[in-house]
Amino acid sequence: MYAKSDKGFMTLQLFEIILKKVIELMKNEGRGDLPVLIYADRAKCHESVDLIKYLYDQNVHIIWFISNSSQITQPLDGAPYANLKKKLKSATDDEVLRRTILGESTK
């Protein structure tokens, strides 16, 4: 499954699309009745009363990470992903520069 937003950030709409697709895939595989736990931070894109009600009805439950605990609960945000993010940013910057020099669109 692949999804993206225009600016590269998670949005409520994108979060809903992804979760509904996961639920659909589970039902298609005969696992629709199994309870599901999703761990999430308190980003605004994860907090929708309507979405949480829908998930509850689908037997999907969100467990919220404790505020300011990502260094413990999300350890991959540290060194492993930091290096990947740095390399991706460098590659993106190089591509934007190349397109700018050639007069191509940078979007």
Side-chain angles (χ1 to χ4, degrees), residues 3-81:
K4 71 177 190 84
S5 66
D6 291 339
K7 295 187 178 184
F9 294 102
M10 179 62 75
T11 64
L12 176 58
Q13 181 182 15
L14 190 59
F15 190 56
E16 288 178 1
I17 290 168
I18 291 167
L19 290 177
K20 288 179 180 180
K21 184 65 176 174
V22 167
I23 292 167
E24 176 189 325
L25 291 170
M26 287 184 63
K27 287 182 179 181
N28 290 342
E29 292 180 6
R31 296 186 285 164
D33 293 336
L34 294 174
V36 175
L37 295 177
I38 295 178
Y39 292 88
D41 58 19
R42 285 282 188 174
K44 290 290 182 197
C45 62
H46 300 152
E47 297 182 2
S48 161
V49 173
D50 292 335
L51 177 60
I52 292 169
K53 285 180 183 177
Y54 168 79
L55 293 175
Y56 183 81
D57 291 341
Q58 301 297 318
N59 206 15
V60 176
H61 308 279
I62 296 181
I63 295 177
W64 303 108
F65 288 130
I66 298 168
S67 296
N68 302 314
S69 67
S70 64
Q71 73 280 8
I72 298 165
T73 59
Q74 297 171 290
L76 289 178
D77 281 351
Y81 283 157

Side-chain angles (χ1 to χ4, degrees), residues 60-102:
V60 176
H61 308 279
I62 296 181
I63 295 177
W64 303 108
F65 288 130
I66 298 168
S67 296
N68 302 314
S69 67
S70 64
Q71 73 280 8
I72 298 165
T73 59
Q74 297 171 290
L76 289 178
D77 281 351
Y81 283 157
N83 192 34
L84 174 64
K85 288 178 182 179
K86 183 179 178 182
K87 288 185 181 204
L88 286 174
K89 181 169 180 3
S90 176
T92 301
D93 291 347
D94 290 349
E95 181 63 14
V96 168
L97 180 60
R98 184 192 72 77
R99 288 181 181 195
T100 301
I101 290 170
L102 295 175

